[in-house]
Amino acid sequence: MEAALLLRTFICLSVWLIGISADEPYCLAEELTPYVKFSSKTPYRFARGAFNTTALVPQGCEAKQVWHISRHGTRYAGFSDLKDFVNKLPKLQWLIIKANETGKGELCAQDASNLEGWSLGALNVTWASILAPEGERELRELAVRYKSSLPDLLDYPFSNESFKFRYTDSQRTEASARAYAEGLFGDAGSTIYMPKPLDPDPLIKFYDLCSKYIKEVDDNPEASIEATIFREGPEMAMVIQEVSRRLGINTTFGDVETMYDACRYYKAWDPVALSPWCAAFTPENLKVLEYWQDLLYYYEDGYGHAINYESACPPIQDLVQHFRKFVETEQGPRGIFYFTHSGALNKIVARLGLYEDSVPLAHDNLDPDRLWRTSNNGPFATNIAFTLSKCEDERGWWVSTLLNEEAVKLPGCLSKEGCSWQDFYTFYGQYEFCDFDAICENGKDSPQGPNEMSYFWDLIAKEIRQFWEDFWFSLDH
Ligand SMILES: *[C@@H]1O[C@H](CO)[C@@H](O)[C@H](O)[C@H]1NC(C)=O
Ligand SMILES: *[C@@H]1O[C@H](CO)[C@@H](O)[C@H](O)[C@H]1NC(C)=O
Ligand SMILES: *[C@@H]1O[C@H](CO)[C@@H](O)[C@H](O)[C@H]1NC(C)=O
């Protein structure tokens, strides 16, 4: 009797509690594990594993050479995003506060108060795209972990012969390279020799030189039509509607996009703090926005178009050449370190054959278990570390591959532990012969190739500008 009563009370209580939690709007401030999968703006710490010796070098073998390519770390938002922050966020904040005061919207008190406490502070457009302090930490600590997992190879003083660095022509990749060098060499890292960047760079920013990619994907809005359809579709309409209801204001897609960027950038700049603008979204909303981003990258860099990954042979060629030379001569640098952009890393991930879904991503098949998930395989500071080891037994030379410090199984290898050099070469040796101009159909449309063409147009534009400047100057005087 008593037990039955107890059970009934328990059931009533549970139903009541479930009822409450279903009705209660989502409150970010009370969330212990907020959703932080923000596609390419995911802070590295939420996406990484951790280098360890066993994952990098098999038992009984010795690391001989590493080839490590990284995306720059967390940066400030780009120019147009920062302009949107400056122009739109204070206005949205004011509207949200007004709505909240008049009892509109569904924000919990703490979320509303966090949004009210937000301010632009010193943030302004001169910071556009520069590496944030968190980005420096990401790269420095990445190098520290690599070195402490491979002390015999990487705890070694710098010389031009022992370590090669290369970064693209941008502040954020240069600062990333410096931070990484400081992780390896301490204070000396700030002065070690690194070659001047190339612009364009045929090795680590190869896609800038690929006519076919530029024409068919980069300059072609149709290439990412799936992302566009999804952006204009019912899932996104629901997000806009729910965000409007939560905030108590009418929002457009543009508002939602700016608040999403504010949410994820502020989280990346200070990952341990709560990011107030994230309160505009439920985790379900964030998953819809994440899929939209995954679609974009899938079609701009990933498996969506063959030319995306076919253009990525120069870095794989470079990797194979370095390792083959070392296997044959036992000579070469201890470390090769490259610092580039998401456009390079995403394409290399696809060229290696990682995270390929059997069904292509499309606007109408949001698969929560998809493999192509840029929050995991393309966050800030995404990096792929190849380690070449020499084993004294029948294994011979060995290659391990870690993506974001997590061992990955390459299609050509038997397991996550890696590949014998033979197996690795059997699968990836083909990229040692990389006819980039043929793949990219360079010189097909214009005998000069894309780069000289853009140089040519830049020159014309400069001449025209100069002409008008001289013209106005002559009128003034
Ligand atoms: C490294 O190479 C650069 C460029 O060739 C040269 O200027 C520099 O002096 C070299 N540094 C050392 C320590 O040899
Ligand atoms: C939102 O738009 C609707 C329809 O245009 C309008 O009736 C409503 O008053 C607006 N709400 C707010 C909070 O501005
Ligand atoms: C080392 O890393 C591998 C692969 O990333 C992981 O599976 C393993 O658990 C790690 N081992 C230790 C001792 O942390």
Side-chain angles (χ1 to χ4, degrees):
M1 191 62 213
E2 221 171 309
L5 190 69
L6 214 66
L7 190 66
R8 256 185 68 186
T9 316
F10 176 76
I11 290 173
C12 284
L13 201 68
S14 311
V15 168
W16 180 68
L17 277 174
I18 290 168
I20 290 227
S21 53
D23 286 337
E24 202 70 18
Y26 177 77
C27 180
L28 175 65
E30 283 168 11
E31 182 68 80
L32 295 177
T33 51
Y35 193 74
V36 290
K37 291 185 182 294
F38 294 144
S39 180
S40 60
K41 311 299 183 287
T42 305
Y44 183 56
R45 65 173 75 197
F46 299 134
R48 71 173 177 86
F51 280 134
N52 65 52
T53 312
T54 19
L56 291 164
V57 193
Q59 287 282 317
C61 309
E62 199 184 328
K64 291 291 187 184
Q65 186 175 66
V66 301
W67 190 98
H68 195 192
I69 189 162
S70 305
R71 181 187 177 202
H72 58 78
T74 293
R75 60 166 168 83
Y76 287 104
F79 183 76
S80 75
D81 286 344
L82 275 184
K83 237 176 37 189
D84 284 345
F85 285 10
V86 172
N87 293 337
K88 287 164 76 173
L89 289 179
K91 250 180 256 173
L92 284 164
Q93 180 192 32
W94 186 83
L95 289 171
I96 294 164
I97 294 171
K98 293 297 278 182
N100 194 255
E101 280 169 4
T102 54
K104 287 194 203 132
E106 298 174 346
L107 291 177
C108 61
Q110 192 57 52
D111 282 354
S113 140
N114 288 341
L115 264 172
E116 195 168 345
W118 170 86
S119 83
L120 270 179
L123 193 68
N124 69 80
V125 293
T126 66
W127 295 14
S129 292
I130 68 172
L131 196 69
E134 177 65 13
E136 282 178 35
R137 275 192 289 278
E138 287 167 341
L139 271 294
R140 191 183 310 114
E141 288 165 14
L142 172 65
V144 166
R145 286 189 297 272
Y146 208 177
K147 176 176 157 179
S148 65
S149 302
L150 299 179
D152 294 343
L153 184 69
L154 299 181
D155 194 355
Y156 192 82
F158 176 83
S159 72
N160 280 348
E161 292 67 42
S162 300
F163 297 100
K164 283 211 244 176
F165 282 77
R166 182 163 175 158
Y167 53 83
T168 64
D169 188 17
S170 77
Q171 187 276 343
R172 60 192 182 279
T173 48
E174 175 171 5
S176 294
R178 281 294 161 198
Y180 188 101
E182 283 165 23
L184 283 188
F185 308 111
D187 289 343
S190 56
T191 52
I192 61 161
Y193 169 73
M194 296 185 192
K196 291 248 169 309
L198 299 177
D199 182 23
D201 187 317
L203 177 60
I204 56 174
K205 211 158 177 269
F206 46 87
Y207 44 98
D208 280 354
L209 286 160
C210 186
S211 303
K212 185 170 178 192
Y213 173 72
I214 293 168
K215 186 166 137 235
E216 293 181 6
V217 180
D218 207 30
D219 285 349
N220 176 16
E222 283 296 308
S224 51
I225 191 73
E226 288 295 328
T228 310
I229 297 173
F230 185 77
R231 192 189 70 203
E232 293 168 353
E235 290 93 342
M236 196 64 85
M238 186 63 93
V239 170
I240 298 168
Q241 193 186 322
E242 286 184 10
V243 167
S244 300
R245 199 177 63 220
R246 271 177 76 69
L247 301 178
I249 63 172
N250 284 337
T251 59
T252 62
F253 174 75
D255 299 331
V256 167
E257 190 183 16
T258 301
M259 289 188 283
Y260 180 51
D261 282 332
C263 157
R264 48 196 194 141
Y265 271 114
Y266 276 92
K267 190 65 186 172
W269 298 337
D270 189 358
V272 292
L274 183 145
S275 175
W277 287 100
C278 291
F281 307 96
T282 64
E284 288 312 311
N285 298 156
L286 293 172
K287 285 173 194 168
V288 170
L289 289 156
E290 183 191 11
Y291 188 64
W292 167 52
Q293 295 284 293
D294 280 351
L295 274 173
L296 266 178
Y297 290 111
Y298 187 84
Y299 287 95
E300 283 179 2
D301 297 324
Y303 294 101
H305 301 288
I307 187 60
N308 296 351
Y309 49 85
E310 282 170 1
S311 72
C313 66
I316 312 290
Q317 174 186 46
D318 185 78
L319 161 71
V320 173
Q321 278 173 346
H322 273 103
F323 279 6
R324 190 166 58 74
K325 182 147 179 261
F326 205 101
V327 166
E328 285 167 4
T329 66
E330 300 223 16
Q331 289 194 350
R334 290 164 178 257
I336 299 105
F337 306 113
Y338 297 143
F339 302 88
T340 178
H341 305 266
S342 64
L345 266 298
N346 289 335
K347 292 180 184 77
I348 294 169
V349 163
R351 176 72 292 176
L352 292 170
L354 294 167
Y355 308 110
E356 182 171 18
D357 294 275
S358 49
V359 179
L361 270 60
H363 71 275
D364 56 358
N365 68 345
L366 197 171
D367 175 3
D369 299 321
R370 65 192 175 278
L371 300 174
W372 181 264
R373 191 142 202 168
T374 50
S375 299
N376 301 333
N377 59 277
F380 281 126
T382 301
N383 62 93
I384 314 175
F386 293 90
T387 307
L388 177 70
S389 303
K390 188 184 186 187
C391 313
E392 289 305 342
D393 51 29
E394 69 285 350
R395 286 172 297 180
W397 293 87
W398 190 265
V399 180
S400 72
T401 308
L402 276 72
L403 188 134
N404 297 338
E405 302 177 66
E406 199 88 61
V408 288
K409 184 195 158 313
L410 292 179
C413 302
L414 290 176
S415 77
K416 278 188 172 191
E417 274 75 69
C419 251
S420 70
W421 166 249
Q422 277 95 348
D423 287 351
F424 186 85
Y425 193 81
T426 301
F427 206 81
Y428 296 102
Q430 56 179 305
Y431 302 119
E432 212 179 344
F433 311 97
C434 164
D435 194 346
F436 187 73
D437 287 337
I439 291 168
C440 291
E441 297 176 3
N442 287 341
K444 198 175 120 190
D445 294 337
S446 69
Q448 290 151 306
N451 192 43
E452 275 104 321
M453 270 320 273
S454 72
Y455 177 73
F456 171 74
W457 288 114
D458 284 350
L459 214 64
I460 299 240
K462 209 164 134 195
E463 285 300 318
I464 294 173
R465 257 197 321 272
Q466 192 61 50
F467 172 82
W468 282 110
E469 271 169 28
D470 292 349
F471 177 73
W472 293 115
F473 188 81
S474 68
L475 285 188
D476 273 355
H477 295 80

